[in-house]
Each structure stands twice: as C-alpha cells, then as structure tokens.
Amino acid sequence: MMTMKNLLTTCFLLLLSAPAWALVPPDYQEPDTSFNAEVEAGLQLNSGNNETKNFNGRTYLTYDSLKTKQEGTVKVYYAADGSESTAEKYELFLQSNYKLDRGYVFGRGEFTWNEFGSYTRVTTISTGYGFDLIKNYKTKLSLEAGPGYRYDQPQASTEEPFPDENRDVILRSAAKYTVKLQEYTSFNADVTAETGLDNNTLTLDMSYKNTFIQDWAFKIGMNIKYTEVVPDDSRNTDTVTTFNLLYTFQ
C-alpha cells in the first residue's frame, strides 16, 4: 500500500514536470512530409428567370523525395444554361523531376479535352532541364526549358467541318513564380510558352490564396491562354476566372 509520504512525493514530482510541457513552443509544427495534396472547388447555381450552373475543380498531388519529385494536376470546368452545356473542359498535367546537384531534368505530359475550345484535343509531351533561380522562405522562381511534341485537333467550323489534325515539334519554356505576401497569403504566377513550326502558344496562370482557418483557404485564379493560329470562327485568347475554396492536407 502506498504511504502518505510516497503519495506526496509522487504529486510533487508531477508538479515539477508540468513546466517542462510548456517548453514546447506554442507554434510548433510537425516536420513536413514528402506527400502533399490540394483539393479546391467552386460551384454556382442560378434559378428562376436565369437557370444556369457552373462548376470548376482542381486536385493537385505531389510527392517530393530526396532525388525525385512527382507532380500531378487534374482540372475540371463545366457550365450549362438550362439543360444545354456551354463549357466542358478537362485537363491533366503530369511531371516527373530527377534532381541533380544543380537543377533537375524533367519529363512532362499535358492532356486537354475541351468540347467548346478552338482545339478540342491537345496533347503535349516535353522534356528538358529546370533550376531554381531564387529559392528562400518567402520567394521561389523556377525556370524550365526543353524540346517537346504537340498534337491538337482543331474545332470544326462552317468552312472546314472536318479539319486535319496538327502535329508539331515545339520548344517549351516556363517560369514558375511563388511569393509569400504575408503569413497567410501567397501569390503564384506561371508563364509557359510553346514555340513550334506551325503554331505558338502563351499561357499565364495566376492565383491568390488566403488561408483563413487552419488548412482551409480562399483562392482566386485566372488562366489566360493565347494561341496564334486558330480555326475560323474561333478566338485567339481563352480566359478562365475561378473563385474557389481550397483544402490542403499532408
């Protein structure tokens, strides 16, 4: 049986150990894991005199190890006026990096299905070299360049109801910029240029993210793509603006 002396000694030792718990900083965080994911979505529904609906979503997955980095992104855009679709677009991006002492070599695949775009099917395969021009706690700027191959299927038009497929050798160059504006806000801008023998494209993808509750954030995004040569009855520039909720987990 525990005596009164032993009981008092045990309580005293527990009280002494309690301050040690406070030595852990209140803002302590577990070390980052190699796996990271982001899921975001936005939805709008209108009824009454105007019955429209639109949805966009994005899922980003990355696995960063000592020598390699794997990235994958899926994007979905859909809009309808009543029961008739007015926009339907799906994008898949895959990239694998092998890290070197300075920079990295990469292989990348981009696949787009766009029922209402100037090109309904676009596939781009590229490889090359990339490096971090700036990399610190607040700012990161990466540059990439390398050769590639692009296949696209033009949208049918009145003058050309059955257009021929295009196949082109390209030079792809990209700049990826991220800056942390404040503790809970960040800005991202990616610029990609594809220069080919038959056609050229320029894409600007920007986003502003504001974290408001732990892993939840509000995100505003804008994607602008310019295509130099497009089918008749098509525009050279496509713009998509999104307002989404984003959740990040590791």
Side-chain angles (χ1 to χ4, degrees), residues 9-10 27 42 51 58 65 72 86 113 146 157 166-167 174-175 211 218 221 225 227 233-234 246:
T9 301
T10 302
D27 57 347
E51 294 187 3
R58 170 183 171 271
S65 64
T86 57
W113 300 265
S157 63
N166 298 324
R167 294 175 172 82
T211 302
F218 176 70
K225 182 174 182 179
T227 304
D233 303 329
S234 298
L246 180 146

Side-chain angles (χ1 to χ4, degrees), residues 71 93-96 106-111 124-128 144 172 176 192:
E71 295 178 280
F93 305 98
L94 300 172
Q95 180 163 331
S96 179
F106 69 88
R108 181 179 176 87
E110 305 179 29
F111 312 91
T124 304
I125 306 296
S126 61
T127 186
E144 295 180 352
R172 176 184 175 273
K176 303 178 180 181
T192 303

Side-chain angles (χ1 to χ4, degrees), residues 3-250:
T3 63
M4 180 61 68
K5 181 179 179 180
N6 291 336
L7 180 61
L8 292 175
T9 301
T10 302
C11 294
F12 182 70
L13 291 175
L14 289 174
L15 289 174
L16 285 178
S17 63
W21 305 338
L23 294 179
V24 180
D27 57 347
Y28 172 78
Q29 296 181 355
E30 293 292 334
D32 293 337
T33 61
S34 298
F35 175 77
N36 183 57
E38 295 180 351
V39 178
E40 64 181 84
L43 176 66
Q44 178 178 321
L45 299 174
N46 298 322
S47 61
N49 295 321
N50 182 21
E51 294 187 3
T52 62
K53 56 185 176 182
N54 65 71
F55 168 82
N56 77 87
R58 170 183 171 271
T59 299
Y60 171 76
L61 304 173
T62 178
Y63 183 79
D64 195 352
S65 64
L66 184 62
K67 295 298 295 182
T68 64
K69 182 179 181 181
Q70 319 297 331
E71 295 178 280
T73 304
V74 178
K75 295 182 179 181
V76 178
Y77 305 94
Y78 176 80
D81 187 355
S83 59
E84 183 178 355
S85 299
T86 57
E88 189 174 352
K89 183 179 181 181
Y90 308 93
E91 296 180 340
L92 173 63
F93 305 98
L94 300 172
Q95 180 163 331
S96 179
N97 299 344
Y98 182 78
K99 301 176 183 178
L100 306 173
D101 292 337
R102 293 185 177 180
Y104 55 91
V105 292
F106 69 88
R108 181 179 176 87
E110 305 179 29
F111 312 91
T112 301
W113 300 265
N114 189 356
E115 294 300 326
F116 297 89
S118 57
Y119 291 91
T120 59
R121 303 289 186 273
V122 180
T123 299
T124 304
I125 306 296
S126 61
T127 186
Y129 174 77
F131 65 97
D132 296 327
L133 183 63
I134 302 174
K135 186 177 182 180
N136 54 50
Y137 170 76
K138 190 174 182 180
T139 306
K140 182 178 179 180
L141 175 61
S142 301
L143 303 178
E144 295 180 352
Y149 171 83
R150 182 178 60 218
Y151 161 87
D152 50 45
Q153 174 63 56
Q155 182 73 261
S157 63
T158 304
E159 296 183 0
E160 196 169 359
F162 303 102
D164 295 331
E165 302 169 348
N166 298 324
R167 294 175 172 82
D168 201 0
V169 176
I170 63 168
L171 174 64
R172 176 184 175 273
S173 56
K176 303 178 180 181
Y177 176 71
T178 301
V179 59
K180 193 171 185 179
L181 302 176
Q182 295 179 354
E183 184 65 25
Y184 300 107
T185 59
S186 62
F187 175 76
N188 181 83
D190 295 347
V191 181
T192 303
E194 295 180 2
T195 305
L197 299 175
D198 299 327
N199 204 352
N200 303 314
T201 66
L202 181 65
T203 303
L204 173 61
D205 193 4
M206 301 181 295
S207 65
Y208 170 83
K209 184 173 69 173
N210 184 10
T211 302
F212 58 92
I213 301 177
Q214 201 170 10
D215 296 325
W216 289 94
F218 176 70
K219 181 179 177 182
I220 302 175
M222 176 175 288
N223 181 279
I224 305 172
K225 182 174 182 179
Y226 172 81
T227 304
E228 184 177 7
V229 180
V230 296
D232 295 334
D233 303 329
S234 298
R235 296 182 179 180
N236 297 88
T237 304
D238 289 323
T239 303
V240 178
T241 305
T242 57
F243 302 87
N244 292 347
L245 285 178
L246 180 146
Y247 180 73
T248 302
F249 59 92
Q250 298 180 348

